[in-house]
Amino acid sequence: MSQQRVAVRCPSCSPGAETVHEVLNRGGGVTVRCSECGHVHKTTIEEETTVERRVVVSQDGESMESTVEVPPEERLVVGDEFLVETDEAILTARVTSLEGPDGARSDGADATDVETVWARAVGNVTVNLTLHPKEGTHDESRSVRIQVPGDESFVIGRTHEYGGEEFSVERILVREDATDYERLDFDFEGDSVLAKDIKRLYARDEDAQARAWSGW
């Protein structure tokens, strides 16, 4: 097994700055060896403490419950993404709300003030897609749901193919928990939004005519 490595000051070659050390022995104080000069000495290593917090992750209308370990002083904020292990899988999740011991919800809080982290799975997501034909009225529009990787980009004016659908994106509504967007409604040519940030996508159905002919 490889030796644990820690960053501490070396009294021989680097008393004023931390260098990488190998941990040799933890009995009777921690014995370490400097990787720079090979000096062996004893030191004190502060063990990082964490607190366990309940996590509820939603995915396609279902909820999964788990826990995460976080430093007590860490600031949790809506929009943060993290890995969480559930009974079903290891998921990438995004914080959507933080609940305190009194049941009050907030957009940001220190881990010590949080009892439950509410989150949404964003590794693979379902995009709500409204399609309307090239010709005709919006009364002929139809709604479908497509499964895509959360980091897939959808671009206004570009044609995409997913789930047996071919469509050209015309408008994208962004989720309220998304970050780094200047607005929540995009319809300019070239605008792009990640799938995990999409609330609803409006597009022109490029296969509408083919489906109409197949019905004859």
Side-chain angles (χ1 to χ4, degrees):
M1 293 178 62
S2 60
Q3 294 284 347
Q4 179 186 1
R5 294 176 180 271
V6 294
V8 296
R9 296 180 180 183
C10 175
S12 176
C13 72
S14 183
E18 293 180 339
T19 60
V20 176
H21 286 64
E22 285 186 336
V23 176
L24 303 178
N25 193 325
R26 287 185 173 273
V30 182
T31 303
V32 296
R33 177 170 54 215
C34 177
S35 61
E36 296 293 330
C37 69
H39 180 66
V40 176
H41 61 100
K42 289 187 178 294
T43 189
T44 300
I45 300 176
E46 291 187 10
E47 297 292 340
E48 183 178 357
T49 59
T50 60
V51 293
E52 185 178 83
R53 291 296 176 258
R54 174 175 174 253
V55 178
V56 179
V57 183
S58 64
Q59 185 175 42
D60 293 335
E62 298 184 358
S63 294
M64 296 161 282
E65 189 168 326
S66 186
T67 59
V68 291
E69 299 280 343
V70 293
E73 71 282 356
E74 182 170 333
R75 183 75 176 175
L76 305 179
V77 179
V78 166
D80 286 348
E81 294 184 8
F82 61 100
L83 290 177
V84 58
E85 184 174 357
T86 69
D87 292 338
E88 292 79 10
I90 297 177
L91 303 171
T92 300
R94 172 183 290 171
V95 178
T96 56
S97 182
L98 300 164
E99 181 179 340
D102 59 355
R105 299 288 187 100
S106 67
D107 292 338
D110 293 337
T112 51
D113 299 323
V114 173
E115 184 171 276
T116 301
V117 177
W118 296 88
R120 176 173 63 88
V122 294
N124 290 288
V125 299
T126 299
V127 172
N128 295 310
L129 176 62
T130 296
L131 294 170
H132 61 269
K134 287 184 177 180
E135 303 294 338
T137 68
H138 283 274
D139 292 337
E140 299 170 306
S141 297
R142 60 191 180 94
S143 294
V144 298
R145 289 157 63 88
I146 55 174
Q147 297 284 335
V148 297
D151 287 331
E152 187 73 14
S153 291
F154 287 87
V155 183
I156 301 294
R158 182 177 298 175
T159 299
H160 298 266
E161 290 187 52
Y162 282 102
E165 304 286 351
E166 183 179 359
F167 52 90
S168 296
V169 181
E170 296 183 334
R171 182 186 178 197
I172 304 174
L173 300 183
V174 177
R175 289 177 174 270
E176 288 76 9
D177 61 30
T179 57
D180 300 327
Y181 293 94
E182 60 186 17
R183 58 188 189 278
L184 298 180
D185 191 343
F186 289 86
D187 58 3
F188 289 105
E189 185 88 12
D191 285 345
S192 67
V193 178
L194 297 177
K196 62 186 176 183
D197 298 327
I198 295 176
K199 183 176 183 179
R200 180 165 288 277
L201 187 152
Y202 296 88
R204 185 175 64 251
D205 189 349
E206 299 293 345
D207 282 341
Q209 186 173 2
R211 271 190 297 275
W213 280 106
S214 67
W216 288 89

